[in-house]
Every structure is written in structure tokens, then in C-alpha cells.
Amino acid sequence: MPVQSRPLLRPGDVPAGIVHLGLGAFHRAHQAVYTEEAVAAAGGDWGIVGVAPRSLDTVRTLADQDGLFSVTSTSGEGNRTRVVGALAGIRHAAGDPAGVVALLADPAIRVVTLTVTEKAYQLDPATGRLRPDDELLADLTSDRPPRTVPGLLVRGLLARAVAEAGPLALVSCDNLPSNGKLLHRLVGEALRLVSSGAGGRSERIADWLRENLSYPGTMVDRIVPASTPQTLADAEQALGVADLAAVAAEPYRQWVIEDDFPGGRPAWERAGAVLTDDARPWESLKLRTLNGLHSAAAYLGALAGRETIAEALRIPHLATVLRRLVAEDVAASFRPPDGVSVVDYGEEVLTRFANPVIRHRTIQIAMDGSQKLPQRVLHTIGDLRAAGARPRWATLVVAAWMRFVQGRADDGTTLPLDDPLAGRIRAALAEARSTPEGVATALFGLTEVFPATLADDDEVRDLVVEWLTALDRYGVEKTLAGGTA
């Protein structure tokens, strides 16, 4: 097993220039790896201070290991383990919010990156706008320590503006469409909620924020399953010491970044990142193809009793259905980056999903479906309908989600509903007629998920009901066999 036990950087040797919010496995296997390689290749004060919004366990574990952790790239051909030393510091936002606010206002910090998942942005799925609950309003309109990610970020930005601490790039690395523009809008909406007494609404501060902040869009890609006891055992076997912060990931990785950094940035291109003027075509490519296929395989796989995505791909006819989803629906719904074939990209995605060592659980991918479905599937359907096309395969994914949220697999096994709208979904189903038509009508009524243009589209509804009827009557395997006949 090849091992790089000595990190390219030693924690503490490179001063901090980046704050990262969201100290989870994905960041450690993606942005931290790119940044370490970029600094090792081209230099610069670009150490990362990793901030865990809530999880104290991650902070304690990394602190005990002096900020070091390992990433194992795993495939059927074997494992490659490396130790990463990109972290220049570790903070716990819930335990020291004032310290994190001060860090965001530090002139040494010129880049803030985020991987906090869709939930933490506190967006209304129906409008994409900020959804201020009582806790966020308290963050923005009182002097209490901030508890939400938007509250923490805005309080830090206001402190930075007051101190005139230099320009800053705010970089969302979450799987959200136009994530840079979304983050820009979120910050603007949050700032408008700040009370005039908090000192955040003066014209001078507003001007400073407009002139000194940028919001580059990104596309990130690497499959990083949740760590398991096997992940830790593999790392210990490779390193000869225990690593309780170890992560495993597929060998493939990609990072596309809009090059708009007023305070400078690491030479990420030296680590293989793509710097561009517009990340949107790349975002659409990934969200609609990779993420769309991921959700399709997750819902259909979970219904068919498959534990992992790789196992789901072995369901007869599923790979054929996913290929047709890409070729007939996804590829026709948007314009990809220049020189990129959506069909070829889809084939690469299926090869990656079939990696037997990456045990990406179908239930894990299926969670938060109400948040994921619009970007991954519904935008494809909407654009196809706008062009007068018939979204046959994309509507199968919607039907599979509707079957999944009813909580019963084909063999009668109970399926969990882990979703921010779980209460609304259960309430809608409780009032629905127990027929495919009744279920579809009830769930299409979730305006937070389905825009009216789709909910009121008879052809979309008929296709979903047709697929849902087949899934209810025959189960996944027979439905797929009949659908491809």
C-alpha cells in the first residue's frame, strides 16, 4: 500500500490566510488537499484555519493530532494513503463564536471557503432566498454570540468592515447552483436584516463591503463517504499509528473556481484546479449528471434493498436506465462546458460509482431529498419542458423519490425519512388518497420543492404517476425491465 506519511506542509509552518467553515470529511479530502499541494508547489501564506460550526468531536480529534489527518484514495486497484498538513489552526464556532468573528476580521485572512451543506445556508427551497428563523434573527439583530452560519459570517464581515481589514473572497464549495451568486445574495439579505443599532447599516460600511468582497463560484467533485471503523483501520494499517480523523475517498477529484480573489489566492491551478471566468456550465454538468445519477441510484437502490450505490448499479437494467437519463434528458437540458461531452462524462461517473471500495450508502445519498431534488432533477425537467421535450427518465427519479418518502422498500422494509421537510411530507401523505395519483397530487403540492410550472404540467404529472404506479405494483427491478423493453 503506497503511503506518503510525511505531509507536504507541517501545521504551523505556514501562516493562515484561509478560514474554512465546515470541517467535515469532504473539506479534508478536497480543498485541504488542493491547498496543501498548491502551497507546496508555489508558496504563500495560505494555511487553513478549519472551523467546525457545531461538532466538537472533530475539533478535539484534530487538536489531539496537531492538525494532521490522512486521506486514503481507494479503488479496486488498491489504496494510497497520504498525511495532510494544510491546517494552520482549528476552531469550534459554537464554543467560541467571538473568536471566529475576530478571525474573520483578521487582515491576514484573505479567503473564506465554506462546505456547510444546503441546510446551513437557511434558504427557502421554493425561492432560494434567506429564510430567517428566530435564531438567525437573534444573530443579526442582537448582541448575543452568533449561532448560525449566516449569522457568524455576517457578524465577521461587519467586524472586518469596521476595522477596514482588507479585501476578502467568500467561496462557497457546496453543491448548490450558482453557489457564488447565491452566497452573495444570502449575505446581502442578511445584512439588510441587521439592526441599525448594530453598526452594520452605515453608508461607509455598506460601501466598504461592496468594494472589498468577492463571491467566486465553484464546482467541487470528489466522492467522500462518511468515515467508518474500516476507514480508521485502513489508515492505521498504512501509517502504523492511529488516525481518528482519517477519511477515505475515490481517487478522482475536480475543482473549478471562478478566478476573482481581490486579496490573492493559493496557486490552486498548480494542484490541478480549473480556473475560469464562469463556473456555471461546470456546475450544471455536475449537478444534473453526477448528482442527478447519484440521487436516481440512491432512491431506486434503496427501494430495491441495496445498501450501497455500487450494489445498486448491479440491479438489472439500472445502468441502462441511467445512461438513457443522461443521453436523452440531461444532455438535452443545458449547454455543457466547451469541449465536454455530457454522455462521456456520464460514463465516467458510472465507472466511479461502480468502485466497490467506496461504500456510499444509498440511504445517506437519499437524505435531504427535498433540498437536493430541485437542483439535481427538477431543473432538468423544467428546461426540457420549456423546450417542448418529454422528460421520461427524469420523471422516473421523481417517482422514485415519491415512493421512497412513503417509507417502505419493495420487500416491506422500513425506510427512514431524514429531511428538513419531513413533517410537511408526512402531513401531505397522511391527507393523500392511497393511490399513485393521490400521492403524486399531495407531494406536487409541496411548493417548497415543486415550482408551479412543473406541479401544474399535465405531461410531467402523467409521467410521474405512470412510473409511480409501476413502482408500487411491480417494484424496482420489474419496472426497470419493463421501462427499457
Side-chain angles (χ1 to χ4, degrees):
M1 178 185 296
V3 180
Q4 172 229 306
S5 58
R6 185 185 298 275
L8 298 177
L9 304 179
R10 292 172 57 89
D13 284 357
V14 177
I18 300 172
V19 167
H20 181 80
L21 301 179
L23 197 51
F26 184 81
H27 167 68
R28 302 203 301 277
H30 192 273
Q31 296 93 27
V33 172
Y34 273 99
T35 300
E36 182 184 56
E37 291 180 3
V39 175
D45 294 345
W46 296 110
I48 300 170
V49 179
V51 177
R54 297 192 181 278
S55 174
L56 186 56
D57 290 342
T58 302
V59 171
R60 286 172 172 165
T61 297
L62 286 167
D64 288 345
Q65 298 180 180
D66 297 324
L68 294 169
F69 59 91
S70 65
V71 178
T72 297
S73 298
T74 181
S75 71
E77 299 175 359
N79 293 347
R80 298 182 64 88
T81 298
R82 63 180 293 176
V83 176
V84 179
L87 293 179
I90 306 151
R91 299 290 183 89
H92 182 226
D96 184 20
V100 175
V101 168
L103 187 63
L104 294 172
D106 186 336
I109 302 301
R110 289 96 77 201
V111 175
V112 174
T113 54
L114 301 90
T115 51
V116 292
T117 76
E118 295 97 328
K119 292 180 191 176
Y121 286 80
Q122 300 195 212
L123 301 172
D124 184 331
T127 65
R129 300 289 179 178
L130 189 66
R131 183 172 54 192
D133 57 16
D134 291 343
E135 191 163 68
L136 177 55
L137 286 172
D139 280 357
L140 300 175
T141 60
S142 75
D143 292 330
R144 74 154 205 201
R147 299 175 186 173
T148 66
V149 168
L152 190 75
L153 191 58
V154 167
R155 294 278 283 275
L157 293 177
L158 291 173
R160 190 178 187 92
V162 169
E164 297 188 354
L168 186 71
L170 301 171
V171 189
S172 170
C173 298
D174 285 293
N175 284 318
L176 296 164
S178 299
N179 54 13
K181 290 181 173 58
L182 182 149
L183 182 58
H184 191 178
R185 186 171 66 243
L186 178 152
V187 169
E189 291 174 356
L191 285 169
R192 284 193 288 274
L193 293 172
V194 174
S195 69
S196 56
R201 298 177 66 125
S202 75
E203 195 62 32
R204 180 182 67 83
I205 286 178
D207 287 345
W208 191 96
L209 292 170
R210 278 193 298 270
E211 294 167 3
N212 287 276
L213 300 182
S214 71
Y215 301 85
T218 67
M219 186 276 275
V220 298
D221 190 5
R222 193 174 196 183
I223 297 175
V224 185
S227 295
T228 66
Q230 188 61 51
T231 307
L232 306 187
D234 289 345
E236 184 169 3
Q237 181 181 4
L239 300 171
V241 295
D243 175 12
L244 299 182
V247 294
E250 65 170 338
Y252 180 94
R253 72 184 195 202
Q254 188 174 43
W255 195 5
V256 179
I257 313 165
E258 292 177 351
D259 198 0
D260 183 13
F261 291 83
R265 62 167 174 81
W268 282 311
E269 67 275 15
R270 296 284 296 273
V274 175
L275 278 297
T276 182
D277 292 332
D278 186 0
R280 289 175 297 178
W282 295 94
E283 296 166 8
S284 295
L285 178 69
K286 181 183 182 248
L287 283 165
R288 299 189 185 203
T289 312
L290 184 142
N291 296 125
L293 293 185
H294 225 186
S295 288
Y299 297 128
L300 292 165
L303 290 169
R306 303 314 199 265
E307 182 181 359
T308 69
I309 296 295
E311 292 167 1
L313 284 182
R314 295 197 288 271
I315 298 172
H317 306 290
L318 180 57
T320 298
V321 165
L322 296 181
R323 287 187 174 95
R324 294 188 70 174
L325 170 61
V326 172
E328 298 174 25
D329 287 1
V330 174
S333 72
F334 77 108
R335 181 176 178 177
D338 290 343
V340 175
S341 162
V342 178
V343 171
D344 290 347
Y345 179 84
E347 282 298 319
E348 184 178 42
V349 165
L350 291 177
T351 299
R352 293 164 58 194
F353 285 178
N355 183 345
V357 187
I358 298 293
R359 295 188 58 79
H360 225 172
R361 297 175 61 242
T362 53
I363 296 298
Q364 179 190 2
I365 307 305
M367 68 187 294
D368 299 337
S370 69
Q371 311 290 294
K372 296 174 179 176
L373 205 65
Q375 300 100 330
R376 298 182 177 200
V377 181
L378 300 187
H379 289 173
T380 294
I381 295 175
D383 287 341
L384 287 173
R385 293 302 294 142
R390 187 170 183 266
R392 182 183 183 198
W393 305 105
T395 50
L396 168 60
V397 187
V398 176
W401 174 76
M402 289 184 174
R403 178 92 158 77
F404 177 87
V405 299
Q406 294 176 68
R408 188 184 72 258
D410 291 347
D411 64 0
T413 302
T414 299
L415 296 171
L417 179 56
D418 187 346
D419 193 286
L421 296 183
R424 293 269 288 112
I425 292 168
R426 291 192 180 101
L429 291 171
E431 297 176 0
R433 291 182 294 112
S434 57
T435 64
E437 293 86 351
V439 168
T441 296
L443 294 177
F444 272 123
L446 296 171
T447 57
E448 304 95 325
V449 181
F450 295 99
T453 52
L454 291 188
D456 297 337
D457 187 317
D458 289 339
E459 183 155 11
V460 170
R461 185 182 294 264
D462 289 346
L463 284 166
V464 170
V465 170
E466 179 184 337
W467 283 120
L468 191 54
T469 300
L471 290 170
D472 282 352
R473 186 174 298 169
Y474 304 116
V476 168
E477 294 196 25
K478 289 185 178 179
T479 296
L480 296 180
T484 57

